[in-house]
Amino acid sequence: MPDMSASASLAMTHLVTLAELDEDKVTPGVLGFIVFAVMALAVWGLMKSMNRHMGKVDFKEPAERDAAAGGGEAKPQRG
């Protein structure tokens, strides 16, 4: 059995040299991907919520109410 682990160790050594890993190179790694994915999901959720809330807003001006008031100074509405 010790021969098998030695050959596995040798194979891993050859794989590492084939990959040419640079110890000075900085990569985001798995943690960076997870953080980015969570932020993307949060932005997607916020956009979906904003779209739902903007759909409830009525942008039309009440023209009839202003015309009936006689064109005077507008009173603030409570509501």
Side-chain angles (χ1 to χ4, degrees), residues 11-77:
M12 288 303 290
T13 305
H14 287 303
L15 278 175
V16 170
T17 55
L18 287 176
E20 296 180 12
L21 295 177
D22 186 8
E23 293 295 326
D24 296 327
K25 186 176 180 182
V26 179
T27 60
V30 176
L31 181 63
F33 174 75
I34 291 171
V35 169
F36 181 78
V38 167
M39 289 176 61
L41 286 173
V43 168
W44 177 78
L46 286 171
M47 293 294 288
K48 189 173 180 179
S49 175
M50 184 188 72
N51 192 18
R52 190 177 331 121
H53 283 84
M54 292 298 283
K56 294 178 183 178
V57 175
D58 184 23
F59 289 105
K60 294 180 182 174
E61 293 287 330
E64 297 85 24
R65 193 178 306 152
D66 291 341
E73 189 174 322
K75 296 180 182 179
Q77 298 178 1

